[in-house]
Amino acid sequence: MSPRPPTASAIEIAAAVNAGQSARVAVEAALARAEADTLNAIIRVHRARALAAADAVDTRIKAGESLPLAGVPIAVKDNVLVRGIEANACSKILKGFVSPYTATAVARLEAAGAIVIASTNMDEFAMGSSNETSVFGPVKNPVDPTRIPGGSSGGSAAAVAAGIVPVALGSDTGGSIRQPAGLCGAVGYKPTYGLVSRYGLIAFGSSLDQIGPITSTVADAALVTSIMGGADAHDATCAPRTHAELAAATASLSPSSALRGLKIGIVPEHAEGLQPGVRARLDAAKTALIAAGAQLVEVRLPHEKAAVAVYYVLATGEASSNLSRFDGVRYGHRTAKPETLGELYAKSRGEGFGREVRRRIMLGTYVLSTGYYDAYYKKAQQVRRLICNDYANAFAQCDLLLGPVSPTTAFKLGEKLSDPLQMYLSDIFTIATNLAGVPAISVPFGADATGLPVGLQLQAPQWADALLLRAAAGLMALSA
Ligand code: GLN
């Protein structure tokens, strides 16, 4: 089975609505697709709110305004808050929680004319690589519904790949935008850490988390990020910059003008252990890049082999702290009839959090505990610095890095659920990016012999997002 043909791009929809076509019509069509979703990608449809917002956009356009995202229907991952909308991060513990405020990223997209039509399924608290830990059940891959869509932003990737919306927001802590985009055949972009405000993102690992777009074109990812990015008084880690240049980064470029003269770094270890179909597409990309005038250079990231281990110390440590606020008192689920305050906390959390989240809270609490802090957390921070230095050394020799997004194509539902270590290894190529804070993008680059999508990843130095997007647009054009 192949996915439905993609909907018009965000840029095309906005152009049509700015030229007088009704935003309500564009939004009605997306609502109908969301309501007919058979993949479990969409967990809530916001029909009344979306139609009211569409009418407001139509009024603004009639009054002579021009809006860069006029009438563009978007879906948001269930950990991105929108005022008045229930958000659970797909956890039982947040059942019934309705956000009193809107995430900065979403507020900026709405101000630019975008319309939130639905919330998307995800792994509980963004912990997972297969979208199977959600309290709403797994998402199916639109290309083959017996397979996982990837995770944790699996609902967002499936919704875009199935043509329900042109743009869905995801969050990426260790690959959660790029990996599902790669496995579903969409574009997934994790901006430089600090480019997009995290205000209104339900926190997982705060030093790693970034909101980013999943789209079907690189130009849409660039436009959306140029609008939602930039300084925000509500997030001190959001850099005091603007990113208008991103919107034009991919404009009217031929692949060779995007790629000619670029030095693209290849890490030899990234070719190891790949499924043959993934390996073949990576090799095809290398050949095509050389033909387009890029130069390939071999570079090393010597400490990258420790990245998965470092990540599972730091991300779980941060998560155990971030998730301590879910105490059964302030948000969502509370146990029935607790006898003591301690029992209220313990039972509410025990009942409210799923298995994977409980495993990570325990791991994170352990690595932060007094007796083990130096051995695990502090050591992991030291290795994180070495990984950052590796990237700096690599980028002294090349402009961008090219590699696979994931060692395999989409695996079968249930295949890795009982083996957390195998699951953790599916992020082996995406995790170091977040530890180093650099930007990266997954672009669809054809399929394996069975028709399953293969994504390739480009990574760039911090704040070289415009260069990254430009090259990504060029690379994607080469896959055709
Ligand atoms: N799959 C990784 C994890 O389980 C990354 C998740 C993410 O990026 N949110 O932690």
Side-chain angles (χ1 to χ4, degrees), residues 147-282:
R147 292 176 186 272
I148 56 103
S152 64
S153 313
S156 290
V160 170
I164 296 172
V165 279
V167 177
L169 295 187
S171 66
D172 193 311
T173 307
S176 275
I177 289 174
R178 291 161 286 153
Q179 186 256 20
L183 300 186
C184 289
V187 172
Y189 167 41
K190 183 205 90 77
T192 295
Y193 182 81
L195 196 153
V196 178
S197 169
R198 290 181 294 108
Y199 181 69
L201 171 67
I202 297 175
F204 167 7
S206 308
S207 76
L208 305 155
D209 297 340
Q210 267 295 278
I211 293 177
I214 297 179
T215 56
S216 53
T217 69
V218 178
D220 276 359
L223 175 63
V224 162
T225 308
S226 75
I227 292 166
M228 68 180 173
D232 179 16
H234 292 302
D235 175 4
T237 64
C238 190
R241 297 174 173 236
T242 58
H243 306 285
E245 80 287 357
L246 297 184
T250 65
S252 58
L253 273 182
S254 70
S256 58
S257 67
L259 298 163
R260 192 177 309 123
L262 282 182
K263 273 194 187 171
I264 312 251
I266 305 285
V267 180
E269 289 77 15
H270 288 182
E272 284 167 18
L274 300 182
Q275 251 178 14
V278 177
R279 175 78 195 248
R281 296 311 296 155
L282 179 60

Side-chain angles (χ1 to χ4, degrees), residues 77 126-129 151-152 171-176 204 311-312 360 427:
K77 186 173 177 177
M127 298 174 184
S129 308
S152 64
S171 66
D172 193 311
T173 307
S176 275
F204 167 7
Y311 171 88
Y312 279 97
R360 297 205 190 187
D427 298 314

Side-chain angles (χ1 to χ4, degrees), residues 204 315-326 361 364-365 368:
F204 167 7
T316 58
E318 293 185 24
S320 75
S321 167
N322 278 325
L323 270 53
S324 64
R325 76 191 66 181
F326 303 112
I361 291 172
T365 307
L368 292 180

Side-chain angles (χ1 to χ4, degrees), residues 12 49 121 135 161 469:
E12 288 162 353
R49 187 182 184 279
N121 206 339
V135 73
L469 291 162

Side-chain angles (χ1 to χ4, degrees), residues 17 20 22 55-65:
V17 172
S22 154
D55 290 343
V57 167
D58 279 334
T59 307
R60 287 174 70 182
I61 301 292
K62 280 209 186 83
E65 273 188 77

Side-chain angles (χ1 to χ4, degrees), residues 17-37:
V17 172
N18 280 313
Q21 225 176 71
S22 154
R24 179 176 259 264
V25 170
V27 166
E28 279 275 18
L31 286 167
R33 292 190 297 262
E35 284 160 354
D37 167 41

